[in-house]
């Protein structure tokens, strides 16, 4: 039991500290006022238990929040942290003391007989992995064990290749090489998608709840619930048992799974690490508003309506829609195509094209339709748009038929049909308006448009600039006189864009 200082220079009323648990949180007026640095005040209060390094001091209103890490001869004691809340006048208001008594423990007599290199070898052997998303990192720590403490290597890595992703932490005794403890920080969830299929995906266990938080991709993939309201982002999706099998869960499962698939598509196909190519966290919100028949990229996240059940079901259910939305983000960070008139129609078309290339690469049933999986559940075979035949949904398929009015931002979802048709002809081949195009396949279509988006398109590119950008990209990738470059030119001839 600690002794509490009863004297104070400023306050005259002594607040009797409340103690929660033996080493838990203590609060009250724990020390008298002082002009010493906040970290010293907390250190002094707990120093009977050992040495501490200052991890962090943060301002919190007029208080300072101090975090100390317990150490012995500079080696951290795993998990033994002290947090102190020091008021403006230098009095300690609250402290969480997780420091442990390790001084003179027999297990600490031997420091570390085995090397870090050897420990890493043992770790890799134990988790049976050779390829790492995040390489194993070892840290020598003091690990408290029953009535004793030992030196141990704490080693963590992230593995994606070959089977289930994992993030194993092992504590390996630095003398015996034995595994003292281990845990996997990734929780492998299961659930049902909007389309009624089963899926496995990554969640994170925190304080007894499983969150739609996948930490294996870039800076993470997070999925939120707007709870049928319109304030964003809503709340991070939490589940009690990691089995996402409620009807209400389906939109979230699909958004989470399809965002991860789209991340993988961009990473594995083009080496792009998220939309900013710097691993930006992928945030999605589902159950936006009520009966909302659309989806959008709001500048920082993807947002999906549930649909009204007749025109649409939950829009996150379709991979081509999710990849369409994420491509709006990629466009914003690359070409920056202005969302109006011809540049806006290119913006829309690029989203349809990359959405379809993603569907081809990582989807289960590829086609030249957009949104077919979530459009009109009561009607089969239809979609929001067709790239092979835009006219089937009233969209133009030739420059001569372009829309020049002001609706839809100057027809961004309408005139995209002209570019969509051109892209379809480039991949698939065909004769249109007496122009024959030799198809080059979907992967090359994707590579060419991805390069055009990254290199040659600008905010004010029009259809004619797109033609030049796509032809140049084909030349860069496949050669100036390549069949691909010829096909690229023909694909624009066919839709009347020069
Ligand atoms: S941005 C993209 C999202 C999406 C892709 C949605 C695929 C569904 C499937 C999109 O195309 N949204 C459609 C959209 O914004 N609009 C069209 C315009 C006008 C037409 C549309 C058609 C919406 C049909 C709803 C139903 C709009 O709503 O302003
Ligand atoms: Zn769009
Ligand atoms: Ca499709
Ligand atoms: Ca339908």
């Amino acid at each position: 039991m600690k002794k509490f200082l009863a004297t104070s220079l400023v306050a005259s009323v002594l607040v009797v500290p409340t103690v929660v648990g033996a080493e838990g949180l203590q609060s009250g007026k724990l020390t008298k006022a002082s002009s010493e640095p906040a970290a010293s005040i907390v250190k002094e209060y707990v120093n009977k238990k050992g040495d501490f390094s200052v991890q962090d001091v943060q301002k919190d209103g007029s208080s300072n929040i101090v975090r100390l890490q317990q150490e012995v001869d500079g080696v951290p004691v795993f998990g033994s942290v002290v947090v102190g809340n020091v008021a403006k006048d230098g009095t300690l208001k609250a402290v969480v003391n997780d420091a442990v008594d390790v001084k003179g423990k027999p297990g600490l007599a031997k420091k570390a007989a085995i090397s870090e290199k050897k420990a890493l070898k043992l770790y890799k052997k134990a988790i049976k992995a050779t390829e790492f998303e995040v390489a194993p990192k070892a840290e020598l720590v003091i690990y408290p064990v029953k009535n004793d403490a030992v030196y141990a290597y704490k080693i963590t890595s992230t593995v994606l290749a070959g089977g289930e992703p994992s993030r194993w932490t092992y504590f390996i005794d630095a003398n015996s090489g034995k595994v003292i403890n281990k845990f996997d920080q990734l929780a492998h969830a299961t659930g049902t998608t909007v389309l009624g299929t089963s899926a496995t995906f990554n969640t994170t266990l925190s304080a007894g709840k499983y969150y739609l938080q996948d930490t294996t991709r870039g800076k993470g993939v997070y999925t939120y619930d707007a709870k049928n309201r319109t304030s964003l982002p809503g709340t991070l999706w939490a589940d009690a048992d990691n089995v996402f099998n409620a009807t209400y869960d389906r939109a979230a499962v699909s958004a989470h799974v399809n965002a991860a698939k789209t991340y993988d598509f961009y990473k594995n196909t083009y080496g792009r690490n998220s939309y900013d190519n710097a691993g930006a966290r992928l945030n999605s919100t589902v159950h936006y508003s009520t009966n909302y028949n659309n989806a959008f990229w709001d500048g920082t996240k993807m947002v999906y309506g549930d649909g009204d059940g007749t025109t649409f079901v939950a829009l996150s259910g379709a991979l081509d829609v999710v990849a369409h939305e994420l491509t709006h983000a990629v466009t914003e960070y690359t070409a920056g195509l202005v969302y109006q008139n011809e540049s806006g129609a290119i913006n829309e078309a690029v989203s349809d094209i990359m959405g379809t290339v993603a569907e081809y690469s990582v989807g289960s049933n590829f086609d030249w339709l957009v949104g077919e999986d979530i459009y009109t559940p009561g009607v089969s075979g239809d979609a929001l748009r067709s790239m092979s035949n835009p006219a089937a949904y009233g969209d133009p398929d030739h420059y001569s038929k372009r829309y020049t009015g002001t609706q839809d931002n100057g027809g961004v979802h309408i005139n995209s049909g002209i570019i969509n048709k051109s892209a379809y002809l480039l991949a698939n081949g065909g004769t249109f308006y007496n122009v024959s195009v030799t198809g080059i396949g979907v992967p090359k279509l994707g590579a060419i448009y991805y390069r055009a988006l990254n290199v040659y398109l600008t905010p004010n590119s029009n259809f004619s600039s797109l033609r030049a950008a796509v032809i140049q990209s084909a030349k860069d990738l496949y050669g100036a006189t390549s069949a691909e470059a010829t096909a690229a030119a023909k694909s624009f001839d066919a839709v009347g864009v020069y």
Side-chain angles (χ1 to χ4, degrees):
M1 191 58 187
K2 292 211 154 49
K3 256 207 200 126
F4 299 103
L5 292 160
T7 49
S8 163
L9 300 175
V10 275
S12 53
V13 181
L14 172 72
V15 181
V16 178
T18 50
V19 182
V20 182
E23 299 297 337
L25 191 145
Q26 300 167 331
S27 69
K29 195 169 163 53
L30 303 178
T31 64
K32 58 183 176 182
S34 160
S35 58
E36 272 187 78
S40 309
I41 292 166
V42 183
K43 253 187 187 177
E44 211 166 284
Y45 183 77
V46 293
N47 73 357
K48 286 173 219 87
K49 284 213 167 152
D51 301 331
F52 299 90
S53 69
V54 181
Q55 237 177 24
D56 190 43
V57 181
Q58 263 185 42
K59 270 246 161 285
D60 177 48
S62 61
S63 291
N64 276 303
I65 308 297
V66 177
R67 290 183 82 88
L68 304 177
Q69 168 67 54
Q70 189 184 5
E71 294 183 339
V72 176
D73 300 331
V75 179
V77 181
F78 176 70
S80 296
V81 167
V82 171
V83 185
N85 182 341
V86 180
K88 196 181 175 177
D89 67 357
T91 55
L92 183 61
K93 286 199 297 190
V95 70
V96 173
N97 187 356
D98 282 347
V100 288
D101 215 351
V102 291
K103 270 268 156 70
K105 293 287 184 195
L108 297 180
K110 293 171 289 177
K111 199 162 178 181
I114 68 171
S115 67
E116 183 176 309
K117 214 173 138 190
K118 167 87 185 172
L120 282 165
K121 241 188 202 158
L122 292 168
Y123 173 82
K124 287 180 196 170
K125 208 175 144 198
I127 68 164
K128 300 183 189 78
T130 50
E131 246 185 81
F132 297 93
E133 174 71 9
V134 179
K137 242 181 46 196
E139 184 192 11
L140 186 66
V141 298
I142 289 169
Y143 197 78
V145 290
K146 207 173 176 242
N147 298 325
D148 200 355
V150 295
Y151 283 96
Y153 289 103
K154 171 180 179 273
I155 308 179
T156 304
S157 75
T158 305
V159 174
L160 298 184
E164 287 291 281
S166 62
R167 193 174 167 206
W168 279 106
T169 294
Y170 272 59
F171 293 91
I172 296 176
D173 189 300
N175 287 291
S176 69
K178 287 212 173 91
V179 176
I180 307 170
N181 192 11
K182 60 178 186 179
F183 55 85
D184 183 1
Q185 229 154 306
L186 285 184
H188 310 291
T190 55
T192 307
T193 67
V194 170
L195 305 181
T197 56
S198 307
T200 60
F201 45 93
N202 299 328
T203 53
T204 297
L205 176 60
S206 175
K209 281 185 180 176
Y210 295 89
Y211 291 91
L212 287 181
Q213 175 179 339
D214 171 356
T215 56
T216 67
R217 293 173 166 92
K219 291 176 187 159
V221 177
Y222 289 59
T223 302
Y224 293 77
D225 184 7
K227 303 179 180 171
N228 292 121
R229 306 190 66 90
T230 53
S231 92
L232 289 170
T235 55
L236 187 60
W237 197 288
D239 186 84
D241 62 3
N242 218 21
V243 180
F244 294 70
N245 53 3
T247 303
Y248 191 75
D249 295 345
R250 292 182 172 204
V253 169
S254 282
H256 203 62
V257 167
N258 285 331
K261 281 187 182 175
T262 306
Y263 175 91
D264 291 350
F265 161 70
Y266 270 107
K267 184 90 194 299
N268 299 336
T269 315
Y270 308 118
R272 187 179 191 89
N273 183 10
S274 189
Y275 57 85
D276 66 349
N277 200 18
R281 205 169 114 170
L282 283 189
N283 295 316
S284 309
T285 297
V286 296
H287 295 307
Y288 174 76
S289 193
T290 50
N291 297 331
Y292 184 68
N293 281 323
N294 215 340
F296 57 93
W297 165 254
D298 83 342
T300 58
K301 66 186 100 49
M302 295 167 273
V303 184
Y304 302 96
D306 292 336
D308 60 13
T310 306
T311 310
F312 284 109
V313 294
L315 283 90
S316 60
L319 177 70
D320 59 3
V321 175
V322 170
H324 174 114
E325 287 317 315
L326 195 58
T327 301
H328 279 311
V330 174
T331 297
E332 201 169 298
Y333 277 78
T334 54
L337 290 158
V338 174
Y339 203 63
Q340 194 179 43
N341 302 329
E342 287 193 15
S343 56
I346 299 170
N347 190 322
E348 267 304 315
V350 165
S351 274
D352 282 349
I353 292 165
M354 299 314 289
T356 295
V357 176
E359 186 176 277
Y360 176 91
S361 304
V362 293
S364 45
N365 32 35
F366 158 78
D367 54 35
W368 289 100
L369 301 173
V370 176
E372 67 284 351
D373 289 345
I374 44 93
Y375 190 63
T376 58
V379 184
S380 66
D382 63 349
L384 186 67
R385 289 184 283 274
S386 167
M387 299 178 71
S388 55
N389 184 17
Y393 299 99
D395 297 323
D397 54 15
H398 192 273
Y399 200 61
S400 62
K401 297 182 179 170
R402 71 188 178 279
Y403 171 75
T404 55
T406 56
Q407 281 175 39
D408 187 33
N409 280 334
V412 297
H413 295 93
I414 301 168
N415 290 330
S416 55
I418 298 163
I419 306 306
N420 282 347
K421 177 77 188 196
S422 171
Y424 160 77
L425 289 168
L426 179 54
N428 193 71
T431 302
F432 195 57
Y433 280 80
N434 281 321
V435 178
S436 288
V437 188
T438 307
I440 63 169
V442 175
K444 286 179 179 176
L445 167 73
I448 291 169
Y449 269 78
Y450 181 71
R451 181 168 177 82
L453 189 67
N454 271 274
V455 183
Y456 298 114
L457 291 171
T458 67
N460 287 318
S461 292
N462 59 20
F463 283 12
S464 185
S465 353
L466 174 69
R467 175 192 170 103
V470 167
I471 294 171
Q472 187 58 47
S473 298
K475 287 179 176 174
D476 292 352
L477 291 171
Y478 307 106
T481 59
S482 61
E484 289 84 354
T486 304
K490 292 274 184 200
S491 75
F492 284 94
D493 291 353
V495 297
V497 171
Y498 296 96

